[in-house]
Amino acid sequence: MEKISGAEALMRSLEHEGVDVLFGYPGGSIMPTYDALYDHKKTLNHILVRHEQAAVHAAQGYARVSGKVGCCIVTSGPGAMNTITGVADAMIDSTPLVVICGQVGASVLGTDAFQEVDVVGVTQPITKWNFQIRRAEDIAWAVARAFYIAKSGRPGPVVLDFAKNAQTALIEYEPQKVNFIRSYVPVPEPAEGVIEQAAKMINESVKPFMLVGQGVELANAQPELLALCEKAQIPFGTTFLGLSAAPTDHPLNMGRLGMHGNLGPNVMTNQCDLLIAVGMRFDDRVTGNLTTYAKQAKIIHFEIDPSEINKNVKVNLAVLGDCKQTLAAVNKLVDATKHEQWIAGFKPYAEKEYNKVIEPALFPKEGPLLMGEIVRKVSEAANNEAILVTDVGQNQMFGCRYFKFTKPHSVVTSGGCGTMGFGIPAAIGATFGAPDRTVCMFCGDGGFQMTIQELGTIMEQQCPVKMILLNNNYLGNVRQWQYMFFNKRYSFTPMCNPDFEKIAEGYNIPCRTVVERKDLDAAIREMLDTKGPFLLQCAVMEEDNVLPMTPPGGNVDEMLLEVK
């Protein structure tokens, strides 16, 4: 067999895993790999970002909309450390990634060599698996194992720390495929009898309610979810990351759960007699005060990760396994039922929220532009078929409240970590993961400036990201909390912002600023009709607040509909 370098072996291993897009940034310790990449441009499309954090977030955006493993390559030391936020974000949001970091040669490991950092030690708590490749002979095995672990079971990030000597050494290469690892059980089997028991509990329930999480999207179990809910007439609510698991206008979809979710789903959580959680982890932003959360209900938890069972909420029945299979198995045993009176009970709460919160937010008759109305208009102008990408803050809350979904895999947002600066690079990745779809990215003026350098990536690649900048000259979400809970003491939340139009012009990105309501529709149409990227800056009401809201630590069914 011919001998090739370890760097070349990495390229062939990535191709063997079906990788087509890489996000990265070169540097000293990864230079041999980038030299090998030069000969693989036709098969491995490398996207040069402007900061390593953006490489990981772009890989996340790519993975979330494509269903594939996102992949990025960076150098050692500061390059590797700049990926940490994205790796942690991917871990808590179950996003499959393989992050390849350059490392100093094995002979100088532990000597504090130039740009040496203990990447394995740093990333161990925030990865599904990490491994330091010290020998070129281990490359094919390590890459195959990394991709298998990243995408199997509950997905997550894997970090490969690639020593420089392993990149340059010559080896005989043979591709490998991993589909089994001893002691690693990615998809546990449901315990004997639990499928039958779950069906029995559903059949006996008078007031069932289902919580739909991102696990449904990760398992591609959207048809199985709707089949069960429609047969047994189970109303459901969705988490942030599970928003597009079902069409927004489905008659059983009662809205979003959690702190800034809809009134009905939150109130009825504490009124149902059976709570069915599917592919979600009972995050504190969903449950609020655990001492009062759903105490009246029996609870079934469909989950692929055993560590999530009883972690936050004690359940009566755990249905372990891939929810695509377990939901289908339960559906075979449930009765076709009607819960008309129970379902009708959601309506008064929906009407109350609409009159008190939604109508004023979406259909203002005068005054400054509101974030909610902009989100609604963008969603409708894109036929409710676009991918929603958000940054973090009020833009995220309004975006997830008022954007509508008709297709799965349409939400890219930072859930568990709440990473400001996520929006722009994640949207870049989404355009490569779903090139045939419209990508609309909502961002605040604070988060926009955290990764503003990625406008350079957008410019170079002509990524067709439709960027909607909701500019209120504040760190809006923090300001809202200061308004509500800190006596309106706006400590370092007002923002002195640059001229974003001039910045966009510098990157040769078309831009339009809207201040008055009469100009909004035309500006949105111009944005969507423009080929390639576009920045739509909207000057919005400075003290707009996201409502309803469950105060931090409050009971899930005690939501505030107004701010006094």
Side-chain angles (χ1 to χ4, degrees):
M1 295 177 66
E2 67 167 328
K3 287 195 172 185
I4 61 174
S5 70
E8 175 64 22
L10 174 65
M11 297 300 106
R12 297 188 187 185
S13 294
L14 294 177
E15 291 171 344
H16 186 65
E17 292 295 333
V19 175
D20 54 359
V21 179
L22 298 165
F23 304 91
Y25 203 95
S29 291
I30 199 69
M31 209 173 292
T33 292
Y34 268 84
D35 185 66
L37 183 57
Y38 192 85
D39 295 322
H40 291 260
K41 292 179 181 178
K42 292 183 179 179
T43 52
L44 296 172
N45 182 20
H46 178 273
I47 309 303
L48 177 66
V49 296
R50 284 4 183 209
H51 191 280
E52 291 90 354
Q53 180 179 346
V56 190
H57 291 329
Q60 287 177 273
Y62 172 89
R64 293 267 280 273
V65 301
S66 69
K68 301 178 182 178
V69 178
C71 189
C72 62
I73 301 182
V74 300
T75 194
S76 65
M81 291 301 97
N82 283 340
T83 69
I84 297 301
T85 298
V87 171
D89 193 297
M91 185 65 175
I92 199 165
D93 281 354
S94 304
T95 304
L97 298 182
V98 172
V99 180
I100 300 165
C101 304
Q103 183 56 279
V104 301
S107 63
V108 294
L109 284 169
T111 68
D112 292 332
F114 178 67
Q115 292 192 331
E116 179 193 0
V117 171
D118 182 4
V119 172
V120 170
V122 170
T123 61
Q124 188 170 10
I126 55 171
T127 52
K128 278 190 75 177
W129 182 61
N130 64 14
F131 181 74
Q132 189 172 73
I133 304 174
R134 299 186 182 187
R135 306 182 318 138
E137 289 81 1
D138 295 332
I139 292 169
W141 169 85
V143 171
R145 187 181 177 99
F147 276 83
Y148 173 65
I149 291 174
K151 66 187 176 185
S152 59
R154 179 181 180 176
V158 171
V159 169
L160 296 178
D161 195 32
F162 198 11
K164 196 168 185 178
N165 63 287
Q167 299 174 49
T168 57
L170 297 178
I171 55 165
E172 293 180 347
Y173 170 76
E174 186 173 347
Q176 294 193 25
K177 200 72 179 175
V178 172
N179 53 26
F180 171 79
I181 298 173
R182 190 174 61 182
S183 79
Y184 172 55
V185 184
V187 182
E189 290 292 326
E192 185 176 353
V194 299
I195 297 296
E196 293 78 7
Q197 192 174 349
K200 183 174 183 291
M201 291 172 70
I202 292 172
N203 288 337
E204 292 175 350
S205 171
V206 177
K207 298 186 290 184
F209 184 48
M210 185 176 285
L211 314 180
V212 177
Q214 188 194 197
V216 173
E217 292 265 70
L218 294 172
N220 291 310
Q222 301 90 345
E224 289 76 13
L225 170 84
L226 292 179
L228 175 59
C229 288
E230 289 167 358
K231 181 179 181 181
Q233 284 296 287
I234 303 171
F236 61 86
T238 62
T239 66
F240 247 31
L241 300 183
L243 276 169
S244 62
T248 304
D249 62 357
H250 191 284
L252 293 172
N253 189 346
M254 300 301 159
R256 192 165 69 77
L257 305 160
M259 178 177 280
H260 286 296
N262 295 107
L263 180 62
N266 284 294
V267 170
M268 299 302 249
T269 294
N270 278 5
Q271 295 185 18
C272 66
D273 63 8
L274 179 64
L275 195 65
I276 307 163
V278 185
M280 55 87 71
R281 56 188 178 83
F282 289 108
D283 175 72
D284 61 286
R285 289 297 175 93
V286 167
T287 64
N289 183 3
L290 283 171
T291 63
T292 62
Y293 182 76
K295 292 302 179 184
Q296 80 294 338
K298 293 180 179 179
I299 301 176
I300 303 174
H301 195 175
F302 288 80
E303 179 57 52
I304 199 169
D305 183 357
S307 71
E308 292 294 346
I309 302 298
N310 296 322
K311 185 176 81 174
N312 296 324
V313 174
K314 294 285 287 184
V315 303
N316 299 89
L317 183 68
V319 184
L320 290 173
D322 184 332
C323 65
K324 189 172 183 68
Q325 277 75 53
T326 55
L327 287 172
V330 169
N331 191 33
K332 293 178 181 178
L333 302 178
V334 299
D335 300 330
T337 315
K338 291 185 178 181
H339 297 106
E340 293 175 346
Q341 186 175 353
W342 165 241
I343 293 171
F346 286 82
K347 188 175 180 181
Y349 296 107
E351 291 176 346
K352 183 177 181 180
E353 181 183 352
Y354 184 85
N355 294 330
K356 198 87 173 178
V357 177
I358 296 175
E359 186 174 32
L362 300 190
F363 305 100
K365 296 178 173 59
E366 57 185 6
L369 286 168
L370 300 181
M371 288 184 258
E373 69 172 314
I374 297 166
V375 171
R376 175 186 69 85
K377 284 179 174 288
V378 171
S379 179
E380 291 176 353
N383 298 317
N384 299 323
E385 295 178 344
I387 292 171
L388 169 70
V389 182
T390 79
D391 202 77
V392 167
Q394 287 184 316
N395 66 89
Q396 179 185 37
M397 305 302 158
F398 277 111
C400 290
R401 275 188 61 79
Y402 297 125
F403 211 79
K404 293 185 178 180
F405 305 97
T406 56
K407 295 182 177 181
H409 304 294
S410 295
V411 180
V412 183
T413 190
S414 174
C417 259
T419 304
M420 287 182 70
F422 177 88
I424 298 176
I428 291 170
T431 64
F432 287 96
D436 58 331
R437 298 188 63 189
T438 300
V439 175
C440 296
M441 191 281 296
F442 290 86
C443 199
D445 42 298
F448 193 80
Q449 292 179 83
M450 283 195 171
T451 46
I452 197 170
Q453 76 283 341
E454 296 311 315
L455 295 179
T457 307
I458 291 174
M459 172 186 66
E460 181 176 353
Q461 300 294 332
Q462 281 299 293
C463 305
V465 181
K466 310 308 180 185
M467 297 173 279
I468 302 94
L469 174 57
L470 303 175
N471 189 352
N472 58 7
N473 297 301
Y474 270 101
L475 297 175
N477 211 43
V478 183
R479 181 212 56 76
Q480 178 171 336
W481 282 47
Q482 289 172 337
Y483 180 94
M484 297 176 70
F485 310 119
F486 292 89
N487 299 316
K488 303 180 184 179
R489 289 160 56 89
Y490 295 159
S491 180
F492 299 98
T493 46
M495 297 281 286
C496 181
N497 287 322
D499 186 330
F500 291 110
E501 278 201 28
K502 288 183 178 178
I503 291 173
E505 183 182 356
Y507 284 105
N508 200 28
I509 294 173
C511 177
R512 183 167 173 180
T513 296
V514 176
V515 177
E516 297 185 21
R517 186 164 287 109
K518 63 181 178 62
D519 300 322
L520 182 58
D521 288 341
I524 291 172
R525 190 72 265 155
E526 180 185 352
M527 174 183 71
L528 294 176
D529 288 345
T530 298
K531 186 178 181 180
F534 194 97
L535 175 61
L536 174 60
Q537 178 181 207
C538 298
V540 298
M541 180 180 176
E542 287 191 346
E543 296 193 348
D544 198 1
N545 293 312
V546 187
L547 293 168
M549 181 180 185
T550 301
N555 299 333
V556 70
D557 57 352
E558 295 178 353
M559 300 193 80
L560 302 176
L561 295 180
E562 57 185 343
V563 176
K564 296 180 180 179

